[in-house]
Amino acid sequence: MKELNKEQQIKLLRLARKAIYVYLKEKKSLEVDRDEFSEDIFSIKCGAFVTIHKAGMLRGCMGYIKGLESIPETIINTARSSAFEDPRFPNLTEEEFNSIDIEISILSPIEEIRSISSIVVGRDGLIISQGNRSGLLLPQVATENNWGLLTFLENTCYKAGLNKDAWKSSDTNIEKFSAQVFGEKELGL
């Protein structure tokens, strides 16, 4: 997928913040402004995640692994989900709204891994699944935690509710993807 330029990244970050604000104030979903998001790149359907941080700590993260809607529609829905539907956290409050930082991850297509040597920590995110259990970690999680490959694999297994060595099993599926990651903090918003 073609990378989003800085102006497009800023548009999407502002859209994510606005989607959270509108839901916080009016309990309704924001509609995409087709004129503002008329560039061809915004019509692409791809997976995406919106991550919310508060004081440097995770405050919510939800997303789609595969493309279901256009990028702006995906960002609206995942921003709202991150703020109000992540089961690990209470709903975001009005008092918190101005103290959060938003980060967006636009995902590449997912590819199955034949050998763990093809995984590049920091570039690749992982999906590990076994039976009806599945866990996903975005590429930046390994970097932020200074994990090597084995720790990254183990923690993705934990995220799936599996034991740390489940990635070694022949009935475990390992997939990878890359992501274009950008946030309000790094873009000075």
Side-chain angles (χ1 to χ4, degrees):
M1 182 181 135
K2 183 180 167 193
E3 296 244 323
L4 296 159
N5 65 35
K6 185 177 179 179
E7 181 183 315
Q8 293 162 338
Q9 292 172 25
I10 290 169
K11 275 186 181 182
L12 289 173
L13 287 163
R14 287 186 175 147
L15 180 67
R17 184 168 284 278
K18 186 175 181 182
I20 293 169
Y21 185 78
V22 166
Y23 194 82
L24 192 59
K25 290 293 199 179
E26 303 172 20
K27 297 291 185 249
K28 69 177 194 178
S29 189
L30 184 65
E31 295 292 322
V32 175
D33 179 340
R34 300 286 174 203
D35 292 331
E36 184 179 1
F37 293 96
S38 62
E39 296 169 71
D40 287 345
I41 195 163
F42 291 126
S43 66
I44 294 170
K45 293 181 180 183
C46 62
F49 280 74
V50 171
T51 304
I52 299 171
H53 291 100
K54 181 180 169 194
M57 302 296 292
L58 180 65
R59 180 59 181 83
C61 182
M62 300 287 279
Y64 302 150
I65 297 171
K66 296 178 180 172
L68 304 173
E69 304 167 306
S70 71
I71 293 173
E73 290 168 318
T74 298
I75 297 306
I76 288 171
N77 292 328
T78 56
R80 187 187 67 246
S81 295
S82 295
F84 305 106
E85 297 172 12
D86 188 328
R88 299 170 291 179
F89 302 97
N91 288 350
L92 190 77
T93 64
E94 284 188 49
E95 295 75 34
E96 292 176 290
F97 181 75
N98 289 323
S99 62
I100 61 169
D101 293 305
I102 298 171
E103 179 181 83
I104 294 174
S105 301
I106 303 292
L107 278 51
S108 70
I110 296 165
E111 59 183 275
E112 193 167 343
I113 292 175
R114 302 276 179 235
S115 166
I116 65 166
S117 64
S118 71
I119 300 169
V120 177
V121 174
R123 180 197 71 193
D124 297 329
L126 295 178
I127 303 167
I128 293 182
S129 52
Q130 184 183 82
N132 63 355
R133 294 181 180 262
S134 181
L136 177 147
L137 288 176
L138 295 168
Q140 62 268 35
V141 173
T143 308
E144 290 167 357
N145 291 289
N146 296 314
W147 291 341
L149 177 57
L150 294 179
T151 306
F152 192 26
L153 286 160
E154 290 170 353
N155 278 280
T156 310
C157 288
Y158 289 144
K159 182 87 183 271
L162 303 168
N163 73 57
K164 72 177 189 170
D165 293 325
W167 64 270
K168 297 176 183 177
S169 176
S170 62
D171 64 341
T172 299
N173 190 37
I174 305 173
E175 299 169 299
K176 70 177 181 177
F177 58 89
S178 61
Q180 182 181 6
V181 182
F182 49 93
E184 291 177 324
K185 218 178 226 185
E186 70 181 327
L187 293 175
L189 301 178

